[in-house]
Amino acid sequence: MSVLIKGGRILTASDDYFGDVFVDDGRVALLGSSLDVTADKVIDASGKIVMPGAIDPHTHIEMFFGGTTTCDDFTSGTTSAAFGGTTTLIDFCMQTPGDTFAQALEKYHEKITRCPPVIDVGFHIGVTDLHTGGTLEDLAKLPDEGVTSYKVFMAYKGAVMVDDETLFKVLRTAHQTGGLVMVHAENGDAIDIIVKETVAAGNTDPVWHARSRPMETEAEATNRAIQLARVADAPLYVVHVSCQPSVEPIALAREKGWKIWGETCTQYLFIDETMMEKPNWEGAKYIYTPPPRPKEHQEHLWKAITTDVLSAVSTDHCPFNWPDQKGINGREFQVVPNGGPGIENRLHMLWTHGVRTGRITPNRFVELVSTNVAKLFGLYPRKGTIAPGSDADIVVWDPEKKLTISAATHHTNVNYNLFEGEQVTGAPEVVLVRGQVIVEDDELVAEPGAGQFVKRARFGEELLAAPAAAV
Ligand code: URP
Ligand code: ZN
Ligand code: ZN
């Protein structure tokens, strides 16, 4: 199957020019102007932007968490992602305490077999237990399976939180194996005490979720993880940075040239803590962690993504229905499963409020949602760019397309949208994964199974593109 994408504005992290893209056998075969080739399918991209498919490095699909399971499976979650222009996601394969890492992987492979994805999928391993199931030896073997990033939680005491000993052992393992360690950085011990005191004082409404997780607890853990990564000489990626106090240690580390990277998520750029004050328990829709912060932190985060202090914007898509899942357990904030949806609207929101307002350049937009993620997580240059030999994961983006974001029209299983009613300008027209059209004219045109599991390269190594097909 060959595809000619004709006359578009080709946008990558480094380039911005007009031309044609010829795709053959799933890969970019030729780039040029007015290409004289015949193709099975021609896509007229005049007036459109042709960019590499976005990569979401932070999702929680069909994950058991907080006593319940996120409501997207890999078919629905990846369908929603595709409608938003995401062509690869990397999900957290969570180790159930007591399980070996091989068992954890087996369970997640079963999930993508039972509910096949429509976009490509990779896994990070979520390390929760090195005492009764997982061993460091097994952890060290995972990069051979294409699982080259290890995630640890410094929060969620009594659930998935690990102690510093485990964090440090994982960092040392990453140093040896060429893995990248990802941390959820919050001081879980301190938060546990504050939450218990808050509830004991009778403060149980959703907004107290934010009030019981001070920003300093995030900053302290961020700094601790950075320093431990230094001692272990391991690369570190701090997930979902929500506020200036935790931006600061990352900024300092990067200034010093240390191997530290950070991401924020769409919601931290747009949702502030006042949303949690909505009456009738609606504030529970925004119970995710770290919590929404005071509004002024949004400007700090915009600055950080502009100046490369933060290198990526992910979604942390972790969907629970409201109120069925978000309102359970006697309506006390501390028992609400933590997580919010967002897999479909990352590009819409960033384009509308970032590129169109001039806060970020179009090239930076591609870097934040695709290229930097591909480079950090062992997918580049097969993914994250449009170059001869790279996978033809391509979004034909209509920069003038208008859309009202709504739970009524999005494609995830979750029944609310964090950005409900938001008017955006800029949306995908056609989305291709390895040359196969997945979404066109607002329709899903591929079957579940169009997506594949991707084995990723080790940190700092390239995932080699196959040689370009002869034309
Ligand atoms: O509230 C959140 N973010 N839930 C998902 C798990 C995590 O902390 O990333
Ligand atoms: Zn987290
Ligand atoms: Zn998460």
Side-chain angles (χ1 to χ4, degrees):
M1 168 83 181
S2 58
V3 182
L4 178 63
I5 305 172
K6 235 185 143 26
R9 176 180 158 198
I10 301 169
L11 178 68
T12 68
S14 52
D15 294 314
D16 194 344
Y17 59 97
F18 288 89
D20 302 342
V21 183
F22 180 63
V23 171
D24 195 26
D25 202 17
R27 297 191 296 268
V28 175
L30 271 181
L31 294 166
S33 58
S34 309
L35 289 178
D36 185 16
V37 287
T38 46
D40 300 322
K41 180 178 173 74
V42 177
I43 297 172
D44 176 8
S46 50
K48 309 288 187 298
I49 293 171
V50 180
M51 61 171 112
I55 304 168
D56 193 341
H58 190 157
T59 62
H60 302 275
I61 307 281
E62 205 189 315
M63 176 181 72
F64 183 74
F65 198 61
T68 182
T69 301
T70 55
C71 63
D72 272 317
D73 57 39
F74 278 94
T75 303
S76 66
T78 57
T79 298
S80 183
F83 274 94
T86 294
T87 53
T88 303
L89 61 80
I90 315 174
D91 199 75
F92 294 102
C93 165
M94 295 297 293
Q95 175 203 19
T96 305
D99 274 3
T100 64
F101 297 120
Q103 285 168 327
L105 264 189
E106 201 179 312
K107 285 181 184 172
Y108 269 73
H109 277 293
E110 187 276 327
K111 288 178 203 246
I112 56 174
T113 305
R114 180 168 34 80
C115 300
V118 301
I119 65 171
D120 285 355
V121 168
F123 294 141
H124 318 282
I125 192 80
V127 180
T128 62
D129 174 24
L130 285 179
H131 299 291
T132 56
T135 64
L136 291 174
E137 293 70 36
D138 284 349
L139 202 55
K141 290 182 194 145
L142 292 181
D144 296 334
E145 308 285 323
V147 176
T148 54
S149 36
Y150 308 126
K151 167 80 177 288
V152 284
F153 292 84
M154 299 167 79
Y156 303 123
K157 189 168 180 175
V160 293
M161 174 173 147
V162 300
D163 57 16
D164 286 352
E165 180 184 339
T166 300
L167 167 60
F168 189 58
K169 284 178 174 169
V170 172
L171 285 162
R172 280 196 156 167
T173 304
H175 168 79
Q176 288 155 9
T177 63
L180 173 64
V181 177
M182 309 167 78
V183 276
H184 171 135
E186 280 185 309
N187 187 316
D189 285 315
I191 287 168
D192 189 56
I193 292 171
I194 301 168
V195 166
K196 283 180 178 147
E197 286 170 357
T198 304
V199 173
N203 297 315
T204 54
D205 282 350
V207 70
W208 290 96
H209 172 70
R211 293 181 187 159
S212 59
R213 302 184 95 94
M215 289 181 279
E216 291 75 11
T217 59
E218 187 184 335
E220 183 279 327
T222 302
N223 186 50
R224 181 162 28 112
I226 289 172
Q227 302 302 335
L228 291 176
R230 284 287 291 163
V231 178
D233 189 20
L236 180 79
Y237 179 92
V238 184
V239 302
H240 52 41
V241 174
S242 73
C243 56
Q244 177 63 5
S246 65
V247 166
E248 281 164 7
I250 296 172
L252 188 64
R254 290 179 63 72
E255 212 176 285
K256 288 176 180 290
W258 298 350
K259 296 177 288 186
I260 308 293
W261 289 266
E263 68 169 22
T264 190
C265 311
T266 327
Q267 54 273 28
Y268 298 112
L269 296 167
F270 298 102
I271 307 283
D272 69 76
E273 70 176 5
T274 60
M275 298 296 275
M276 306 194 79
E277 292 166 5
K278 285 192 176 187
N280 303 320
W281 202 251
E282 221 189 312
K285 290 177 177 174
Y286 308 91
I287 294 186
Y288 46 76
T289 301
R293 301 299 192 184
K295 197 164 181 56
E296 62 266 26
H297 289 272
Q298 293 172 6
E299 276 318 308
H300 293 297
L301 294 175
W302 278 104
K303 186 167 173 219
I305 62 171
T306 312
T307 54
D308 203 36
V309 168
L310 297 179
S311 310
V313 178
S314 73
T315 67
D316 195 3
H317 181 71
C318 187
F320 298 108
N321 278 314
W322 182 91
D324 304 18
Q325 292 179 290
K326 293 294 241 183
I328 54 170
N329 294 333
R331 298 201 158 191
E332 291 186 340
F333 77 85
Q334 85 284 9
V335 287
V336 173
N338 288 197
I343 203 164
E344 192 164 330
N345 304 121
R346 175 175 57 140
L347 274 60
H348 298 134
M349 294 295 282
L350 270 185
W351 184 270
T352 300
H353 299 285
V355 178
R356 287 182 69 88
T357 58
R359 276 168 151 159
I360 52 173
T361 65
N363 297 112
R364 182 65 181 161
F365 171 84
V366 174
E367 253 175 357
L368 288 166
V369 301
S370 180
T371 313
N372 282 354
V373 181
K375 286 182 175 171
L376 284 164
F377 290 97
L379 291 166
Y380 192 82
R382 247 186 69 189
K383 298 185 185 292
T385 191
I386 298 178
S390 64
D391 283 358
D393 296 354
I394 294 176
V395 176
V396 180
W397 180 262
D398 181 348
E400 299 304 328
K401 188 166 167 177
K402 297 203 185 314
L403 187 85
T404 304
I405 293 178
S406 170
T409 52
H410 69 197
H411 302 83
T412 133
N413 283 345
V414 76
N415 65 359
Y416 73 97
N417 192 302
L418 290 177
F419 313 113
E420 185 68 35
E422 186 75 31
Q423 313 274 336
V424 291
T425 304
E429 187 74 20
V430 188
V431 177
L432 301 97
V433 175
R434 283 175 286 94
Q436 182 179 354
V437 177
I438 306 295
V439 171
E440 188 165 23
D441 297 331
D442 299 321
E443 295 289 338
L444 180 70
V445 294
E447 297 291 324
Q452 295 176 352
F453 175 71
V454 201
K455 287 188 170 190
R456 293 176 293 118
R458 285 169 166 78
F459 179 78
E461 291 179 7
E462 292 198 334
L463 188 63
L464 286 180
V471 206

